[in-house]
Amino acid sequence: MTIDTAEGIPGAATPRTYGDGGGAVLFNGKVGNHRLDRFWRKFYSAMRSRRMQHNRHLWPYVSIKRDTTGAISAFKAFGHSVPLTPISQAFPEKPELLHLILSGPSIAEIQYDRLPIEAAMGVNGSIALLRKFDIPFKYYCVIDQNFVRRRIDLMRDVVTRDLTLFVTPDVLRYLMQGIPPATYKCRICVIEVVSERAFQPSSTPADLLALAEARPEMSVFDAERALGFSFNVARGVFDADTVAYAALQVMVAGGVKKMYVHGLDLGFSSGRRFYDEGARPETSRLVRNFERMIEPSFAHAAHLLQERGVELYNLSLDSALSERIIPKLSWRTLLETAEA
């Protein structure tokens, strides 16, 4: 078993945590925004190379252990450990059909009290639907630490439910800082972005090409932009700068053969969400990165999934993503099928 830790930096003082990971106070509306948090992030950035910068949200509060395959098997932050569920055990029911519910504004058009759903995966703020509808969220995926830091209220609704939560290491760090780990009722699976693994240098294009050569389950189609598709989530996912793409890889790894994707609007309404975002909406990079990263990634994935007999449908008729990439269906079609 290999071990990665929050390694020391020569000349650095022993870090003094101001919180115990048991529900930190928000500073300027965000978890992890205390002066000490900001100091350590800046300190790390100044002392480490460009390829290590993605670790600044982990050091000095987080330590991890990896198993013999390289997957994270233990996670500790602020002196607290949380039990992790291995990816291989994340889908014990092995659902063949799953609804992936995102946060696009088209979600508001769907009458969920009429829609037959047996199992769903949510992301980010889609948990807010439970304030109006009884949706069987059995799985959840969050890879954006900024979302967790700003909307810890929504994440509290996630972790106190009986579901399996897929998170990246930096997300789990802020989650543990903002919500007492003892209150979690969910199972936690840690996933990593292929090109930015915890406490390791970010991957170069040559690294990614070598990975794809050595592991046929990792498909890399643009090494310069770190774009690809992973059939081995324990090794990592490609994020394409949208949680929807990471969640898709998690679902496929879980053996799902048919997926309906809700709210895959991808910026046709400037990246707004269906839920109330208050006076200061979260920023979105969907429009800026659509043509450069998101659209080519989904096009590549759709081809790979079609080859493997996986069905994928987009329930957002106004989605910026062409139906030539993912077929579009009205959610009402599902009602007709259920009533037939």
Side-chain angles (χ1 to χ4, degrees):
M1 177 178 293
T2 59
I3 299 177
D4 290 319
T5 63
E7 57 193 300
I9 293 181
T14 302
R16 179 179 62 84
T17 60
Y18 65 88
D20 62 356
V25 177
L26 298 182
F27 291 90
N28 294 324
K30 295 176 68 173
V31 171
N33 206 36
H34 188 273
R35 285 184 300 174
L36 192 57
D37 286 302
R38 299 196 302 271
F39 170 79
W40 287 123
R41 286 195 293 267
K42 291 179 179 179
F43 183 87
Y44 187 94
S45 295
M47 296 294 291
R48 289 300 187 185
S49 67
R50 180 177 57 84
R51 292 182 61 195
M52 294 293 288
Q53 292 302 308
H54 61 283
N55 296 303
R56 68 187 181 278
H57 293 285
L58 303 178
W59 189 88
Y61 303 116
V62 172
S63 63
I64 64 172
K65 293 183 180 179
R66 297 181 181 273
D67 61 22
T68 54
T69 70
I72 294 177
S73 57
F75 190 99
K76 186 175 183 179
F78 303 99
H80 294 266
S81 297
V82 289
L84 301 183
T85 297
I87 298 294
S88 59
Q89 299 175 21
F91 290 87
E93 300 173 349
K94 299 191 181 302
E96 292 195 354
L97 170 62
L98 203 61
H99 291 254
L100 174 57
I101 301 179
L102 308 175
S103 302
S106 65
I107 290 289
E109 303 170 4
I110 300 177
Q111 298 175 26
Y112 282 99
D113 54 345
R114 299 177 58 197
L115 199 61
I117 299 177
E118 293 186 5
M121 173 179 280
V123 307
N124 295 358
S126 53
I127 196 74
L129 280 172
L130 292 182
R131 297 169 183 174
K132 293 183 178 181
F133 306 104
D134 183 17
I135 297 176
F137 284 120
K138 295 186 177 181
Y139 311 96
Y140 221 86
C141 185
V142 181
I143 65 171
D144 182 2
Q145 52 87 14
N146 273 314
F147 173 79
V148 175
R149 295 174 65 193
R150 291 182 180 276
R151 297 308 307 262
I152 199 69
D153 58 321
L154 292 176
M155 290 306 302
R156 187 172 290 107
D157 292 340
V158 174
V159 300
T160 54
R161 295 187 178 275
D162 180 15
L163 51 77
T164 302
L165 172 61
F166 299 87
V167 290
T168 50
D170 55 348
V171 164
L172 185 52
R173 168 257 160 97
Y174 287 111
L175 194 62
M176 292 177 67
Q177 188 174 3
I179 304 174
T183 66
Y184 299 176
K185 295 181 181 179
C186 65
R187 294 162 297 283
I188 294 178
C189 287
V190 173
I191 58 176
E192 297 180 270
V193 175
V194 171
S195 59
E196 294 185 343
R197 289 161 65 84
F199 297 116
Q200 297 180 9
S202 60
S203 300
T204 65
D207 292 335
L208 292 176
L209 292 174
L211 177 66
E213 181 72 21
R215 295 176 177 268
E217 72 273 19
M218 310 295 285
S219 175
V220 176
F221 62 93
D222 188 331
E224 292 294 330
R225 290 182 289 180
L227 302 183
F229 194 92
S230 171
F231 289 95
N232 181 2
V233 174
R235 181 60 181 79
V237 298
F238 295 88
D239 68 349
D241 210 31
T242 174
V243 65
Y245 196 69
L248 177 62
Q249 292 162 85
V250 170
M251 292 167 64
V252 171
V256 180
K257 295 297 183 182
K258 188 174 185 178
M259 289 168 266
Y260 293 109
V261 187
H262 307 222
L264 188 65
D265 304 334
L266 294 174
F268 78 80
S269 62
S270 301
R272 295 302 296 268
R273 288 87 176 176
F274 76 88
Y275 54 87
D276 182 16
E277 298 184 88
R280 299 176 59 188
E282 303 159 48
T283 58
S284 174
R285 299 188 298 268
L286 292 177
V287 176
R288 183 170 74 247
N289 291 328
F290 179 76
E291 293 184 358
R292 190 173 68 90
M293 300 178 70
I294 298 173
E295 186 177 42
S297 292
F298 274 102
H300 178 77
H303 177 70
L304 292 175
L305 298 183
Q306 187 177 32
E307 288 182 337
R308 289 162 174 77
V310 177
E311 297 181 61
L312 184 62
Y313 299 97
N314 185 358
L315 299 188
S316 175
L317 298 181
D318 293 321
S319 173
L321 198 65
S322 169
E323 62 182 341
R324 293 191 300 272
I325 296 175
I326 301 178
K328 294 182 180 181
L329 284 178
S330 167
W331 66 271
R332 297 181 184 278
T333 302
L334 304 185
L335 290 181
E336 297 167 3
T337 302
E339 295 169 355

